[in-house]
Amino acid sequence: MYPEHPTTSRPVTAVEVHQPTTFPPAAVTPAPLAAMQPGTVPSVASIVLPDGRVVTGYAIEPARPEPVAAKPPVSRAAVNVALGGIGFAAVCGGLLVLTTFIAALTALITQLITLAAVIFGGWIAVQIFSSNGHQGGTTVNIRKAVIKRNHFHS
């Protein structure tokens, strides 16, 4: 049995120490070989260095860049901008026709309201100023009346 800890009264257990495991260094992978056409053997070249040593190896042709595709004479962005301008012009023409129609309709409604006001006003004027047999005003027939002490008796 393990002895107890002096402050917690729990048994003290043994501590296990683990050492890290080392891994062997990774193997260096060789660079990929250049693609070659099947059936062809590259030529072997030898070079003599200034100190007299001879180095022999395969001749490596420099990598050729991929041919660039021919660009169209007009860029796609320019074509898109031009098409957008044509569409905008078509919309503006339609808006111009629409606003012209709305302005003409507003003018017609204004003229109809003015015409109705003139006709109604003329009818009222004719009713006021026409004479239909009487001179205008109110006719009151007063018969014999006696006024006594500010009282009207009929």
Side-chain angles (χ1 to χ4, degrees), residues 66-88:
E66 293 290 326
V68 178
K71 290 186 177 179
V74 179
S75 70
R76 296 184 68 77
V79 171
N80 290 338
V81 168
L83 290 176
I86 292 171
F88 183 73

Side-chain angles (χ1 to χ4, degrees), residues 61-147:
E61 293 183 18
R64 295 181 185 162
E66 293 290 326
V68 178
K71 290 186 177 179
V74 179
S75 70
R76 296 184 68 77
V79 171
N80 290 338
V81 168
L83 290 176
I86 292 171
F88 183 73
V91 168
C92 286
L95 289 176
L96 181 64
V97 170
L98 182 63
T99 54
T100 305
F101 173 74
I102 291 172
L105 186 62
T106 304
L108 175 67
I109 291 171
T110 304
Q111 290 178 358
L112 289 176
I113 290 172
T114 305
L115 180 64
V118 168
I119 290 174
F120 184 69
W123 181 76
I124 296 291
V126 167
Q127 294 299 319
I128 291 174
F129 296 115
S130 68
S131 60
N132 289 336
H134 59 83
Q135 293 294 331
T138 303
T139 304
V140 178
N141 295 322
I142 300 177
R143 298 187 184 160
K144 293 180 185 177
V146 178
I147 299 173

